[in-house]
Amino acid sequence: MNSRQMPVDDTEFEDGSGHKSAPALVLGALGVVYGDIGTSPLYAFREALHASGQTEGLVDGAQILGLLSMIVWALTVIVSIKYVGFVLRADNRGEGGTLSLMTLARESAAGRPVWILILGVIGASLFLGDALITPAISVLSAVEGLQVVAPQLSNWVVPVTVTILAGLFFVQRFGTGGVAAIFGPITALWFLVLGLTGVIHIAEHPGILAAISPHHAIGYLFNHSGIAVIVLGAVFLAVTGAEALYVDLGHFGRRPIITAWFGLVFPCLLLNYFGQGAFVFTHPEQVAHPFFGMQPDWAKLPMVILATLATVIASQAVISGAYSLIRQAMHLNLLPRFDIRHTSETQAGQIFMPQVNLLLFVAVVILVINFRSSSNLSAAYGIAVTGEMLITAVLLFVVMRNIWHWSLLPTIAVTIPLLAIDTSFFIANAAKFAQGGWVPVVVACTVAVLMQTWVSGRKLLAERTRADEVPLEGILGSLAQRQVPTVPGTAVFLTSDIEGAPTALLHSLKHYKVLHEQNVILGVMTSTSPYIADEDKIFLESFNPRFSRMIITFGYMETPNIPRALVLAKKLGMKFDIMATSFFLSRRTLIPSARKGMPFWQDRIFIALAKNASSATEYFHLPTGRVVELGIQVAI
């Protein structure tokens, strides 16, 4: 969930051409892809123990085996089978993630059904709800190790957590490129330590390995049906972060992600969970904090430090993932333009979004202060992730049928069991709604309402604007019949409706009563593909020696840069000098009205979103000294 770039060939090694080697990609995937799921051992087994009613000094061996078996098979089915086996294959030209899968499924379905768009919006909204909880619960769970090392420091857990999070969000403005270079090695060390500590305690009680058999999980669910839902909700904590495998597909490629999973992450996670189970068997008084309790005294403080580093890395990955998802939503016109600052000269995906960063920081700190412990926060964790996984399974069904061309029977045979498992976990987590599960739901609903308002508002605004526009052919015919004074240079008129005469052009003629020697009607479109090749970016047609129309198409993962795209237009015969080119924009002032459209409250939200959107000058990277903005009022 970190920075994005063009998909790389994950079969190549460093050859002097700038491609990362396969081992480097595997190491990078450890830090970015598996940071979240890699910190789950801090709290997942502990919460499962608490949910099953295990108390200090009194544990039930059969229940321990049942809990571990559920964790083992949750990791196996959801991560190894669902995501590694199927979802990673559903790439949108190398890119993954909810919005990528949504665009892929929608493009493949006849009529581009709206329900697929709605699912994509809900999935993206749920991810942002998850992005708030992950930093809070991860860092809290690591810092809580201080309670084991020095119980007198318990009151410092929350202040230390807030301080670490404040530092993490503060450094976002400086970019994560340099820090990301050490993410992989630290996370690799973390997984090796997880595996080693697990092996040590498994050796003390080898019988714990019997939990590999699924009959222990099935038996637990049948014999403890009264608390099965609550326990499933806790067990699911072991697989939170699985969606990152798909989200970061475009950054690392499928093979490095799979290699990292089966080569290190999956074995070490299993060893650690088995080790925790063996430790609780032999030390039932340590049920409260089995992860830190299983460490020898001399290693407790170093483990707290390493765990804190691992959770910071996991949090960083989620924060960067939120940036990337919001940027995708912006380019797909699901959200207004936010300020994007590039923190790397070489990696387009290394971005910082000040407004998003501030909102995330405030929300995460509020969660930490209000819930105060990872156990309390665990109730809020899960609904967003399980909801997103359910949506992924549904969209995967569409992809299997329409793109992979599977017949109905094998498609059902694969997706129905996955949907059944995802639904079971969703219901289990929904049971925790009152205890904190409402948090991601409120966040997701808020984001979904904002997206729906922005989409509906833009459509309404386009209709209002189009009603007042003059057809382009009409204005060109009128200009051809009369002599209009010309001035040297090129004028580029940006418009969202390439069939109509841009409002900026009409106002320019009205006020200045002159034309430039060369006038370009420019429309910018976003493709449902993540990237567009240079040779396909520009469409140029000439109406007459003075007027031409250009359409620039960017992929939804690309940064729209008009000056750079205009350089490509020179290959198509367009002659211009950027220093003799003026860009004319229409700045609309929106005012609410009683006209039929959206409800009044939604009008106000849309207007507020529009006011806080970054300017077209910044978004399209236009040279500020060459931009002319003409204002108009539009009632919606």
Side-chain angles (χ1 to χ4, degrees), residues 28 32 276 353 433 601:
V32 176
Q276 289 190 52
M353 305 180 75
F433 184 86
W601 64 270

Short mmCIF file of all heavy atoms in Angstrom, two decimals, residues 28 32 276 353 433 601:
data_model
loop_
_atom_site.label_atom_id
_atom_site.label_comp_id
_atom_site.label_asym_id
_atom_site.label_seq_id
_atom_site.Cartn_x
_atom_site.Cartn_y
_atom_site.Cartn_z
N GLY A 28 11.34 -5.68 -0.67
CA GLY A 28 10.46 -4.52 -0.59
C GLY A 28 9.04 -4.91 -0.26
O GLY A 28 8.35 -4.23 0.50
N VAL A 32 6.30 -3.46 2.71
CA VAL A 32 5.11 -2.70 2.32
C VAL A 32 3.86 -3.57 2.33
O VAL A 32 2.83 -3.20 2.90
CB VAL A 32 5.32 -2.08 0.92
CG1 VAL A 32 4.06 -1.37 0.47
CG2 VAL A 32 6.49 -1.11 0.94
N GLN A 276 2.86 -19.25 20.43
CA GLN A 276 2.03 -18.61 21.45
C GLN A 276 1.10 -19.63 22.10
O GLN A 276 0.88 -19.61 23.32
CB GLN A 276 1.22 -17.47 20.82
CG GLN A 276 2.05 -16.25 20.44
CD GLN A 276 1.18 -15.06 20.07
OE1 GLN A 276 0.28 -14.67 20.82
NE2 GLN A 276 1.44 -14.47 18.91
N MET A 353 -0.15 14.14 0.58
CA MET A 353 -1.40 14.89 0.46
C MET A 353 -1.69 15.55 1.80
O MET A 353 -2.17 14.90 2.73
CB MET A 353 -2.54 13.94 0.05
CG MET A 353 -2.23 13.17 -1.22
SD MET A 353 -3.55 12.03 -1.73
CE MET A 353 -4.73 13.21 -2.38
N PHE A 433 -20.51 -4.39 16.50
CA PHE A 433 -20.84 -3.04 16.04
C PHE A 433 -20.93 -2.05 17.20
O PHE A 433 -20.34 -0.97 17.17
CB PHE A 433 -22.17 -3.06 15.28
CG PHE A 433 -22.56 -1.74 14.69
CD1 PHE A 433 -22.08 -1.36 13.44
CD2 PHE A 433 -23.39 -0.88 15.39
CE1 PHE A 433 -22.44 -0.13 12.91
CE2 PHE A 433 -23.75 0.35 14.86
CZ PHE A 433 -23.27 0.72 13.61
N TRP A 601 -29.15 20.05 1.28
CA TRP A 601 -27.99 19.75 2.12
C TRP A 601 -26.84 19.17 1.29
O TRP A 601 -25.66 19.43 1.56
CB TRP A 601 -28.36 18.78 3.24
CG TRP A 601 -28.82 17.42 2.78
CD1 TRP A 601 -30.10 17.03 2.49
CD2 TRP A 601 -27.99 16.27 2.51
NE1 TRP A 601 -30.14 15.71 2.09
CE2 TRP A 601 -28.86 15.22 2.09
CE3 TRP A 601 -26.63 16.02 2.61
CZ2 TRP A 601 -28.39 13.95 1.76
CZ3 TRP A 601 -26.16 14.75 2.27
CH2 TRP A 601 -27.03 13.75 1.85
#
